[in-house]
Amino acid sequence: MTNPVPPSEGLRIRSALNFLKLLTAHLKNAFMSVLITSINFIETWLLDSRKALYGISVTRILLGSAALGLLLSNYSTRLYSFGSGSVWNGEVIEAKSEFPKIWLFSIFHRAITNDIAYSLLYVVLIMLAVLVVLGWRSKVLLPVFFVMWVSFIEANDMLGDQGDNMFRIAMLIMLFMDTSARWSLDARRRNRRPAVDDSAPARQIGNLLHNLGLVALTAQVCFVYASGALYKAGGSPWSGGYAVYNPLQTERFGTWPVLSDLATHWGPAVTIASWGSIIIQAAFVFMLLSRPTRIIGLLAILSFHIGIAILMGLPWFSLTMIAIDSIFIRDRTWIRLQERTRALSAQAHSMSSQDG
């Protein structure tokens, strides 16, 4: 015979079961509440308005400026560096990059041996870069510029760097974003039109594409910095603290020997710069989570890229990365900067008028 369960024991079991049921129901309700709140937040964030409009406009301006700077600084040697004078590398016969093998991106590759045609295309690309900076008809011109830029930069693979990859990826993502909403000729033209209802389906689709593009661009930048930090941390020059010294003492990257010697003269400074670059890149994504650390992170990464531009002679690479990092500066900061600039400009104009 089985022993009957004492009443007190049965009461404790029933109480425990009821407690577990209540706990399960409470956890389920809490989970559903968090899930619904998260879904509503994501839906609102993605559909209600377009984020970082000032930041992405600055990205457009700086990327266009980087392209314009590279094109103008190489204009006198365009045929030697990119055109018929570069056919010795064999890329006219067999391109090393896969892009010239695609007809859409082969226009510069097919014109390399024709100096007149190549120069005309070069000038057209300069004009497109200017229009990108000004933000004129961006929805139409940005895809054209993207195709021609990739065709130009990939025609001679020997002269490329990692900045070209980031430029291409960022520009591709920006094709789906509203890059001329601020500080552009397009914005000036839109301001003359009646306001558009943000709740319209077409507008919400545009908001969705823009904000998803912002997420993709953010993820790409964070991945580049994090992977770069991990790669550096695994190398003995970086972990040893002398990696910065090596490139600055080479003829290719030590473009300013006096500055290179000055920057590498003090050993502890070299170690700080080497280890600091790893720490900044590894921690960058986490530093974006709060305003104080975001300011520190952005100032640190800005200094990092300025140092590369000056000491290593890679201004267009640095400007490309700075352009993309601009999306992490909030719109209200850009607005305050705009207001202060206008105030200073008005003050300077007033003082010049009084002097006159």
Side-chain angles (χ1 to χ4, degrees), residues 273-286:
S274 300
W275 289 351
S277 64
I278 299 176
I279 295 172
I280 291 170
Q281 288 182 265
F284 184 76
V285 61
F286 303 104

Side-chain angles (χ1 to χ4, degrees), residues 51-131:
K51 307 299 188 295
L53 288 176
Y54 282 92
I56 197 64
S57 296
V58 173
T59 301
R60 182 204 80 240
I61 293 170
L62 293 183
L63 286 181
S65 299
L68 187 61
L70 188 148
L71 292 168
L72 292 178
S73 61
N74 288 279
Y75 181 80
S76 61
T77 59
R78 65 191 181 282
L79 299 179
Y80 173 77
S81 300
F82 303 100
S84 58
S86 66
V87 297
W88 57 268
N89 62 20
E91 292 204 39
V92 174
I93 301 174
E94 182 63 29
K96 295 181 181 179
S97 172
E98 295 297 323
F99 284 97
K101 301 175 184 178
I102 304 172
W103 69 269
L104 187 64
F105 302 106
S106 63
I107 181 170
F108 271 93
H109 185 264
R110 287 186 275 111
I112 284 179
T113 56
N114 188 325
D115 292 349
I116 296 178
Y118 192 89
S119 296
L120 287 175
L121 289 173
Y122 199 96
V123 172
V124 169
L125 189 55
I126 290 176
M127 296 172 61
L128 287 174
V130 172
L131 294 177

Side-chain angles (χ1 to χ4, degrees), residues 190-198:
R190 291 174 189 173
N191 291 336
R192 299 171 183 169
R193 298 179 180 178
V196 180
D197 185 8
D198 284 343

Side-chain angles (χ1 to χ4, degrees), residues 53-69 129-135 138 142 167 171 174 179-180 182-185 319 323-324 326 334:
L53 288 176
Y54 282 92
I56 197 64
S57 296
V58 173
T59 301
R60 182 204 80 240
I61 293 170
L62 293 183
L63 286 181
S65 299
L68 187 61
V130 172
L131 294 177
V132 167
V133 173
L134 296 176
S138 296
L142 210 58
F167 192 110
M171 190 62 64
M174 288 167 60
T179 60
S180 59
R182 302 289 185 268
W183 296 336
S184 67
L185 296 179
L319 188 56
I324 301 172
S326 299
W334 289 117

